[in-house]
């Protein structure tokens, strides 16, 4: 009896897989909208071969939709990144003289960002149309044609390419910005050296010009006083001539020499007086011309980039102003030396005259 009982107990277990499979087939048939006929348990009426391909297509449609959503997100991110890169690059450019290389790369990045945004928008529109067909199908994606999938795939590829271009343009812009900043640093160092050299030459020149101008004014004042003194002495000689009789010609020669030398001092004093304003004007101009270079040099010393777009012109103007100061300085010094020599001669002659008048 025991073998028979065991066989009976095992029978349900042996039949279980068959029943399970039958239920699965019944579910598949039910999904397809057709029920198994009564008396045909486990029969799918041949519907499974139709349902399974529909499920496979639904999976393919879903994967394509997911790829589209990812492409849209990537395109938007790439567009935003390129736009931000352009803004930041221009900010850097504004501190180093707005180099053309940065502006060109920034415009390219903005154009790439615009293209990525446009591609994202087109893909979103295509995806919306695609989803409408998917949602209207009895089975998800059943009514979607291959042409619809090909169209969406093309839009995905276009968006992916636009994203790639936007990211590449942002990287290119970053490289150009870094390159321009490095060049600006080098240019700043060179320009700072030039500016410092010009300022270094100009500042002591201005001090010397001021000192010479003052000395020249003092010399002119002394020359005027000496000429007046000589004039007074000449008047005394005129009186002496009237009383000299046979010595009259000696006094006349002495007076003529005194008056001639006095006239020479007055003439030289006039040249000095005329040259002083020219030196003052040249010095004033030089002060104004080196001011931008002093500012640029100080900025460079503080670590700032040289941003003046007129730096080259400023350098030329300062050099020309320096030349004017040098020329005016030499002229004043020459005139003062000539005046001093004439004053020395006049003082000797005046001393001689005064000595003779006392005798």
């Amino acid at each position: 009896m025991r073998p028979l009982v065991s066989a009976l107990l095992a029978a349900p277990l042996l039949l279980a897989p068959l029943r399970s499979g039958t239920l699965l087939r019944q579910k598949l048939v039910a999904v397809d909208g057709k029920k198994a006929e009564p008396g045909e348990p486990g029969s799918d009426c041949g519907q499974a071969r139709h349902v399974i391909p529909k499920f496979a297509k639904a999976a393919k449609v879903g994967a394509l939709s997911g790829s589209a959503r990812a492409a849209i997100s990537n395109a938007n991110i790439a567009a935003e990144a390129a736009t931000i890169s352009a803004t930041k690059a221009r900010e850097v450019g504004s501190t180093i003289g707005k180099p053309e290389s940065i502006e060109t790369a920034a415009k390219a990045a903005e154009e790439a960002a615009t293209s990525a945004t446009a591609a994202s928008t087109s893909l979103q529109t295509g995806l919306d149309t695609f989803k409408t067909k998917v949602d209207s199908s009895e089975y998800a994606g059943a009514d979607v044609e291959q042409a619809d999938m090909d169209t969406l795939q093309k839009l995905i590829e276009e968006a992916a390419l636009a994203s790639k271009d936007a990211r590449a343009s942002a990287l290119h812009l970053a490289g150009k910005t870094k390159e321009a900043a490095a060049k600006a640093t080098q240019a700043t160092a060179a320009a700072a050296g030039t500016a410092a050299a010009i300022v270094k030459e100009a500042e002591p020149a201005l001090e010397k010009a001021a000192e010479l101008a003052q000395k020249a004014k003092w010399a002119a004042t002394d020359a005027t006083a000496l000429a007046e003194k000589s004039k007074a002495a000449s008047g005394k000689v005129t009186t002496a001539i009237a009383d000299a009789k046979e010595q009259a010609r000696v006094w006349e020669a002495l007076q003529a020499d005194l008056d001639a030398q006095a006239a020479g001092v007055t003439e030289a004093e006039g040249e000095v007086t005329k040259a002083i304003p020219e030196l003052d004007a040249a010095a004033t101009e030089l002060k104004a011309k080196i001011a931008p270079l002093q500012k640029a040099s100080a900025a460079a010393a503080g670590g700032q980039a040289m941003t003046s777009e007129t730096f080259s012109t400023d350098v030329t103007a300062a050099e020309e102003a320096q030349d004017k100061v040098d020329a005016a300085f030499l002229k004043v010094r020459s005139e003062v030396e000539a005046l001093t020599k004439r004053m020395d001669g006049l003082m000797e002659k005046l001393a001689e005259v005064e000595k003779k008048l006392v005798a």
Side-chain angles (χ1 to χ4, degrees):
M1 292 294 291
R2 289 185 179 179
L4 179 58
V5 172
S6 297
L8 291 173
L9 292 174
L13 296 176
L14 293 172
L15 294 173
L18 178 60
R19 292 172 180 170
S20 177
T22 299
L23 291 173
L24 175 60
R25 285 193 295 275
Q26 289 175 337
K27 289 180 179 180
L28 290 174
V29 172
V31 170
D32 197 35
K34 296 182 180 179
K35 295 182 180 180
E37 293 297 326
E40 296 181 1
S43 175
D44 64 4
C45 301
Q47 298 302 314
R49 60 189 178 88
H50 298 295
V51 174
I52 291 175
K54 292 179 180 180
F55 282 167
K57 186 175 183 180
K60 189 175 181 180
V61 168
L64 190 61
S65 296
S67 296
R69 287 191 294 271
I72 290 170
S73 177
N74 289 338
N76 290 336
I77 291 172
E80 184 178 6
T83 300
I84 292 174
S85 294
T87 299
K88 290 184 176 180
R90 285 196 174 99
E91 289 176 357
V92 173
S94 67
T95 66
I96 56 176
K98 297 181 179 179
E100 185 178 349
S101 60
I102 289 182
E103 182 57 28
T104 299
K107 287 182 178 179
E110 288 176 334
E111 291 173 359
T114 299
S115 296
T117 299
S120 172
T121 301
S122 296
L123 178 54
Q124 183 64 63
T125 300
L127 179 59
D128 291 342
T129 301
F130 188 79
K131 287 173 64 178
T132 298
K133 289 190 176 182
V134 171
D135 295 340
S136 65
S137 303
E138 183 179 1
Y139 291 94
D143 294 340
V144 175
E145 302 294 337
Q146 184 61 44
D148 298 325
M149 298 176 69
D150 291 343
T151 298
L152 186 61
Q153 180 62 42
K154 182 179 179 181
L155 291 173
I156 291 172
E157 292 172 356
E158 290 175 351
L161 181 59
S163 299
K164 182 179 179 181
D165 289 344
R167 288 193 296 270
S169 67
L171 289 174
H172 176 70
L173 175 57
K176 286 296 182 182
T177 302
K178 184 177 180 181
E179 179 183 333
K183 287 182 178 179
T185 299
Q186 295 176 352
T188 294
T194 300
I198 293 175
V199 172
K200 185 178 180 180
E201 180 182 2
E203 289 178 340
L206 289 171
E207 292 179 2
K208 290 181 180 179
E211 292 176 0
L212 179 61
Q214 185 58 61
K215 290 179 180 179
K217 292 174 183 177
W218 289 337
T221 299
D222 292 342
T224 299
L226 181 60
E228 289 296 325
K229 189 175 182 180
S230 297
K231 183 178 180 181
S234 180
K236 292 180 180 180
V237 171
T238 299
T239 301
I241 291 173
D243 299 332
K245 296 181 180 179
E246 68 275 2
Q247 292 292 320
R249 290 186 177 181
V250 174
W251 282 106
E252 288 173 353
L254 189 62
Q255 184 183 46
D257 193 8
L258 177 64
D259 290 344
Q261 291 199 39
V265 166
T266 300
E267 180 183 357
E269 181 272 329
E271 293 299 323
V272 169
T273 301
K274 184 169 51 176
I276 292 173
E278 295 176 2
L279 178 58
D280 288 339
T284 299
E285 181 181 357
L286 179 56
K287 286 179 182 178
K289 298 303 182 183
I290 66 171
L293 301 183
Q294 289 172 319
K295 183 178 180 181
S297 182
Q304 298 179 23
M306 193 75 72
T307 59
S308 175
E309 297 179 357
T310 61
F311 180 75
S312 179
T313 303
D314 292 340
V315 168
T316 300
E319 290 176 337
E320 291 176 351
Q322 178 69 62
D323 291 341
K324 290 180 181 179
V325 168
D326 292 342
F329 182 91
L330 292 175
K331 182 177 182 180
V332 171
R333 187 175 68 180
S334 177
E335 296 297 348
V336 169
E337 289 175 350
L339 175 59
T340 301
K341 184 179 289 187
R342 291 192 177 189
M343 288 176 66
D344 289 342
L346 178 57
M347 285 188 287
E348 289 182 5
K349 179 58 62 175
L350 181 60
E352 178 184 350
V353 170
E354 288 178 339
K355 183 179 180 179
K356 191 171 182 62
L357 286 171
V358 174

